[in-house]
Amino acid sequence: MTTTTGLLVILGAAVGAPARYLTDRWLQSTHGTGFPWGTFTVNIVASFVLGVIIGSGAGGTVPPAVAVLVGTGFCGALSTWSTLGYETVRLAENRAWTQASLNVVASVLAGLGSAGLGFAVAGGAG
């Protein structure tokens, strides 16, 4: 990895990580439920953005620096699939079986769908 690449990842992550934290705190405070809406939302948004980057790159239109900055740095720091696992285990420990199951199934399906939609919107499917 070159110094420039590393700096682009750091710069993207410096925006993505606070965006994840602030989004999570805001959504959890507005919904007031046990379901982890913040984590769900940031993972779906990051999946969509990454789908757009990959779909755009399929046509050769995304410069590699943008893919590293936005795809690796921003999306990597915005999404938090490890927190999905932690929150699902926490829900299961609290015997919130329906919410735990819904968290996993909805997150995976919505994440894949969102990435596919981003890919298609960017013209990667054609």
Side-chain angles (χ1 to χ4, degrees):
M1 173 169 44
T2 67
T3 302
T4 303
T5 302
L7 290 174
L8 289 171
V9 171
I10 290 168
L11 181 60
V15 175
R20 174 184 71 206
Y21 177 78
L22 294 171
T23 301
D24 181 60
R25 294 297 89 210
W26 176 70
L27 285 171
Q28 287 310 110
S29 70
T30 59
H31 285 287
T33 67
F35 190 80
W37 287 109
T39 302
F40 179 81
T41 301
V42 296
N43 286 342
I44 302 316
V45 169
S47 294
F48 178 80
V49 172
L50 190 56
V52 169
I53 293 296
I54 293 170
S56 297
T61 58
V62 173
V66 172
V68 169
L69 174 72
V70 178
T72 304
F74 178 75
C75 290
L78 180 65
S79 63
T80 177
W81 293 91
S82 59
T83 303
L84 163 73
Y86 166 77
E87 290 171 342
T88 301
V89 168
R90 193 193 67 205
L91 289 167
E93 287 175 341
N94 291 329
R95 300 188 184 281
W97 306 116
T98 301
Q99 286 186 335
S101 299
L102 181 63
N103 192 33
V104 172
V105 172
S107 292
V108 171
L109 293 177
L112 290 171
S114 183
L117 179 62
F119 187 84
V121 165

